[in-house]
Amino acid sequence: MSPIFVLQLGLGITFLLTGYLILKDDDKWAHMVPPWFAHRVPSVRSFMIGTALFDLAVGAWLISGYFTGLAAVVAAAHLLAVLIATGRHTFHETYRDIGLLLSAVALAMFGFM
């Protein structure tokens, strides 16, 4: 098993679990949507469900191994958006996303080598 696959698997499982947990209880995650953004979407609940489905798709894509570099870029962009949107206000909940973001960037770098 290669170190790259371990990184793919770890990120993929993290995205799959996040999607699952959001779908299981989207109200619990809705507080992470900052007020300035919540007013820009028709429904925070629908936004969270969409985010969960996106997370599930990215997780499966990462684990699949198809176009890994591109999947990692999409994952990194998503994590960067999360950090920009929520990191300033809820750093105690999103600090882990910094490590995940850099892991996704590293995987993208390997994917395009």
Side-chain angles (χ1 to χ4, degrees), residues 20-75:
Y20 168 75
L21 290 171
I22 293 171
L23 286 177
K24 185 177 170 192
D25 189 5
D26 56 53
D27 290 333
K28 191 175 187 180
W29 290 74
H31 78 280
M32 299 217 29
V33 177
W36 64 267
F37 185 77
H39 299 294
R40 291 178 165 79
V41 294
S43 162
V44 172
R45 184 172 190 274
S46 295
F47 176 77
M48 291 311 300
I49 291 171
T51 299
L53 296 175
F54 178 81
D55 285 343
L56 289 168
V58 170
W61 189 10
L62 284 165
I63 292 170
S64 77
Y66 291 106
F67 300 102
T68 301
L70 184 56
V73 167
V74 170

Side-chain angles (χ1 to χ4, degrees), residues 18 21 43 50 55 67-69 77 97-98 101 103-104 107-108:
T18 301
L21 290 171
S43 162
D55 285 343
F67 300 102
T68 301
D97 292 337
I98 295 168
L101 169 62
S103 296
L107 185 58

